[in-house]
Amino acid sequence: MASQLDNILDALQAMTITGYSYTVYRGSTLKNVIDIANTPCRIITAIGVQSARTDRLTFGSGVVMKTEWTIQDIALIRAASLGIGLSDVAVTIEGYLAAYHQAVRSTVDGNSRWLITDVSVRSQVLEWPAASGNFFDAVVATLTVADIIE
């Protein structure tokens, strides 16, 4: 069997974050630039982060390997220049943080080919893409996923 990376990314894209129905950009739908009309949105990618570490688990002809993928799921909530400041976006960000953790918990259930082993979620003002001068109130989730390859 091959890597489950595409299935992992599909599952994250399909993940329901209760109360936050954002357009998801991934793979061929990624945009070079996100503007105000595209927000709020999520960007899911394994590109640009330390993407993989592979360990061999068995020896001989029936090789089993475990790859750890690092994936970012970035929610661009709104352009940072909009609104009156943090106070008018804080409730949305805090709600999204809590809902995201619950969504990940639901995504892990019942899966035997791969497993989310670590989730780190933080809110920040993020320039996206890098060096663009476009800043967003954002939530950046970094997930480590173990993928069993037989």
Side-chain angles (χ1 to χ4, degrees):
M1 299 211 125
S3 169
Q4 297 293 306
L5 180 59
D6 200 45
N7 293 333
I8 295 164
L9 294 170
D10 285 345
L12 293 175
Q13 181 174 354
M15 187 168 67
T16 301
I17 303 168
T18 304
Y20 303 88
S21 180
Y22 296 168
T23 300
V24 179
Y25 299 108
R26 173 191 148 223
S28 64
T29 65
L30 281 174
K31 294 181 169 291
N32 292 330
V33 176
I34 299 292
D35 56 33
I36 293 171
N38 300 122
T39 58
C41 67
R42 290 171 56 212
I43 300 164
I44 300 173
T45 186
I47 300 168
V49 290
Q50 186 176 352
S51 294
R53 175 185 152 198
T54 301
D55 294 318
R56 186 175 180 150
L57 302 178
T58 62
F59 298 101
S61 61
V63 175
V64 176
M65 300 172 75
K66 178 183 83 169
T67 297
E68 289 185 349
W69 298 105
T70 302
I71 300 167
Q72 281 195 326
D73 186 346
I74 302 167
L76 301 178
I77 309 294
R78 69 170 191 188
S81 60
L82 297 179
I84 58 172
L86 186 59
S87 64
D88 65 334
V89 76
V91 171
T92 300
I93 290 174
E94 290 167 354
Y96 186 89
L97 288 165
Y100 191 88
H101 281 284
Q102 185 57 41
V104 167
R105 184 174 179 223
S106 299
T107 301
V108 170
D109 288 346
N111 187 354
S112 63
R113 300 291 307 155
W114 54 271
L115 176 68
I116 296 172
T117 59
D118 187 50
V119 179
S120 171
V121 184
R122 71 180 185 279
S123 62
Q124 68 183 78
V125 173
L126 177 69
E127 182 179 19
W128 202 94
S132 67
N134 297 321
F135 291 87
F136 297 90
D137 292 314
V139 174
V140 178
T142 304
L143 301 98
T144 303
V145 183
D147 177 6
I148 303 301
I149 304 168
E150 297 181 274

